[in-house]
Amino acid sequence: MNRYVVLYLAPLSVAERFAQVAPAEAAKGMQLWVDWSTRLGPALLDPGKPLGNARRITRTETTETPSEVIGMSILQATSMDEALKLVDNHHHLHWADECEIVVLEEQPLPELQS
């Protein structure tokens, strides 16, 4: 089985909208995550959390930076195609037209394998 990092991207306007949502609407949104998590079962290794407070680090400085990455999850699947099916029509994609999901496959490091 391979591991896949799922990044949830959204424009800042979506994150700002979520920060102001009423508790009842927030509960509905959380239920969508719970339902998705339940549907995936053991394929969802880590449901993740919201992300923010981004910093860009270079050899010479660390600065605040805007980021459209607003969350992450970690999946387990036998192939990229299977991983993509796990996020097919994900509720995140329905929050705003600009919302996206990026799926990255973890690559092995043979030098670090024992």
Side-chain angles (χ1 to χ4, degrees), residues 6 23 28 30 32 46-47 55 57 61 63 71 83 86 88 98 102 106 112-114:
V6 179
K28 287 180 189 177
M30 271 312 300
L32 293 172
D46 183 344
R55 299 293 189 266
I57 298 114
E61 66 181 352
T63 57
L86 296 174
D88 184 49
E98 304 86 4
V102 173
E106 288 185 354
L112 298 180
Q113 307 227 342
S114 45

Side-chain angles (χ1 to χ4, degrees), residues 4-8 29-48 72-76 83-92 101 103:
Y4 298 86
V5 176
V6 179
L7 300 177
Y8 305 100
M30 271 312 300
Q31 189 59 50
L32 293 172
W33 284 100
V34 170
D35 294 347
W36 179 71
S37 175
T38 301
R39 192 167 56 252
L40 265 58
L44 182 61
L45 297 178
D46 183 344
M72 57 75 63
S73 298
I74 299 177
L75 306 178
Q76 177 175 272
L84 293 174
K85 287 178 186 173
L86 296 174
V87 296
D88 184 49
N89 202 31
H90 192 285
H91 55 275
H92 172 78
I101 294 175
V103 178

Side-chain angles (χ1 to χ4, degrees), residues 91-112:
H91 55 275
H92 172 78
L93 299 172
H94 300 278
W95 292 349
D97 289 341
E98 304 86 4
C99 288
E100 300 176 6
I101 294 175
V102 173
V103 178
L104 304 162
E105 183 176 1
E106 288 185 354
Q107 299 295 303
L109 286 172
E111 300 84 2
L112 298 180

Side-chain angles (χ1 to χ4, degrees), residues 13-26:
S13 60
V14 171
E16 290 169 346
R17 189 177 77 213
F18 288 150
Q20 299 173 2
V21 73
E25 278 301 305

Side-chain angles (χ1 to χ4, degrees), residues 61-75:
E61 66 181 352
T62 299
T63 57
E64 290 185 26
T65 188
S67 176
E68 290 192 342
V69 178
I70 64 166
M72 57 75 63
S73 298
I74 299 177
L75 306 178

